[in-house]
Amino acid sequence: MLKIPGLGDVAEWLGDVSDLTELAKGSTVWLAVTGLSRAGKTVFITSLVHNLLSALHNPNRMPLLKVVGDGRLVAARLEGAKAHLLPRFPYADNIETMARTPAGWPQPTADISEIGVDIRFVPAGLVGDLLGRVSGGAATLKLRIVDYPGEWLLDLPLLTQSYAEWSRGMMQLWRRGIRAEPAREYLGFIAEHPPLETASEAVAKQAHDLYRALLVTARDKHGLSYLQPGRFVRPGALADAPYLWFAPLDVPDGVDRLAPGSLGALMEERYEVYKKEVVGAFYQNYFRNYGRQIVLVDVLGALLAGREAFEDTRLATEAILESFRYGRHNILSKLIGSARVEKVLFAATKADHIPDPQRDNMSELMRNMAALPVLEARGNDADIEVTTLASVASTVDGTQEIDGKRVDVVIGRPVRAGKQAKFFGGEVPIRPPRPDGWGAPFLEIPTFEPPLIDPAPVDGIPHINLDLALEYLIGDRLR
Ligand SMILES: Nc1nc2c(ncn2[C@@H]2O[C@H](COP(=O)(O)OP(=O)(O)O)[C@@H](O)[C@H]2O)c(=O)[nH]1
Ligand SMILES: [Mg+2]
């Protein structure tokens, strides 16, 4: 049998667990949850917190989170009141909404928020035995969960672009495909106001208002998501300061700096302040602390919205991915210093809308959509994985006979329908469909009511792969 001479020696021998007392007192891990609006962040965090708080009573909800599956969880509690910098995530309100009759989905939120769960657990193996001597057996992990809009990550490319470059890129984009129609009014306005006309406060503000309205229409009416600047769509707590009143203009090729006193120069000045005060500040003050992140993507919603919207979500997802590639971006390293996002999970959400055999296809589609496979080879970047999940499983799997063939379906209760129905969704493709492959809609799926939920943290909430996702993201900190 292994003879343990003294705590100090063994701790040294263990290497990474150098301070057992520290482990007993508790360490902190930040988990940021992001994704474009409606991707499922609020529902994800609500279900995650509720299932953690319920895990002691009903370990069967989270078996693949090893600390629960191994029976090492001692307690999970919401942290007490503190002098927090960020607004609280409204967990209690959300659970109440989902648990009432008829059940509803939580209110959309538009700003960054935070919630903490203290997890007491018995570490696995030898460390657990040792810790038993210093703290009665349990360690504490303070899990701090942050909800922030993925739209903010779409601004990273701005940091390496001049105003003239950015404007040219935006103009190209807005003149193409389904963007051209909603952009017509804005393009008309700036045709009347070239970058070299004399700067005017009123014209700049008018351009800004029109451009902002365009971004919102593109999002809400056309299902588009690759929209810059991200804060124009999701301003959060940002006050409507004058430096925000800019917009892209039709800057001719070859022009880089705009003549002093011109409308273009005024826009350029504001654009530069935005980059520094808003974009850079977010990475420096917040992003750099979030060592673990999950990016939620409504892949299914994008498929349903058709070819151009899907392509747009693909572009946005690739742009978001750039925030996790330090190897490529000096600017990112400059902003976040030695801080690193260690693990990132890209998750296709709302998997309860499709039957089980389709869910692997969904993960493959997610992987192929954002060119994720090539990343595994890049040692310098965050560790990246892909999955498919449902934070709140609102359906059950079933089968149905269609034209003499058994097909997989999901069974759920569409909102306001009052009764259950079966849905056959069709096939989820594993690759982004080719342009000529978009003839008929792929899937026809309603919005389902959440299942019956107990608001007390006892039974938890049915989900798909939530425990697996959490094990990937923070499992190493709960051993
Ligand atoms: N059936 C089902 N619907 C979901 C799930 N997650 C999100 N939704 C739906 O998607 C909507 C938007 O989710 P929400 O979390 O508010 O998105 P956010 O804008 O990213 O915070 C919700 O109102 C639900 O209708 C899920 O796991 N299952
Ligand atoms: Mg939300």
Side-chain angles (χ1 to χ4, degrees), residues 295-369:
V295 179
L296 304 178
V297 184
D298 185 1
V299 179
L300 196 64
L303 266 184
L304 292 172
R307 182 168 76 89
E308 297 223 42
F310 183 84
E311 174 57 17
D312 206 70
T313 305
R314 198 184 68 70
L315 272 179
T317 307
E318 284 199 330
I320 287 175
L321 183 62
E322 294 302 310
S323 285
F324 303 101
R325 306 172 100 168
Y326 316 105
R328 286 185 160 202
H329 295 285
N330 291 330
I331 181 73
L332 201 54
S333 308
K334 237 187 255 164
L335 286 170
I336 66 177
S338 59
R340 281 285 176 272
V341 180
E342 296 149 334
K343 287 169 181 252
V344 185
L345 185 59
F346 277 75
T349 51
K350 311 182 194 179
D352 54 327
H353 288 88
I354 50 171
D356 182 59
Q358 299 289 320
R359 288 177 200 142
D360 286 343
N361 283 13
M362 190 68 103
S363 298
E364 272 314 287
L365 178 60
M366 166 96 247
R367 197 184 282 280
N368 290 325
M369 190 172 155

Side-chain angles (χ1 to χ4, degrees), residues 35-44 105-109 147 234 296 349-353 389-394 447-448:
L36 301 171
S37 48
R38 311 294 293 163
K41 300 178 292 295
T42 302
V43 173
F44 177 85
W105 293 100
Q107 282 296 314
T109 46
D147 174 348
R234 287 267 156 226
L296 304 178
T349 51
K350 311 182 194 179
D352 54 327
H353 288 88
L389 59 81
S391 312
V392 175
S394 310
T447 300
F448 295 108

Side-chain angles (χ1 to χ4, degrees), residues 417-430:
K419 63 175 189 347
Q420 290 213 321
K422 289 185 174 181
F423 289 91
F424 168 63
E427 291 270 321
V428 175
I430 62 167

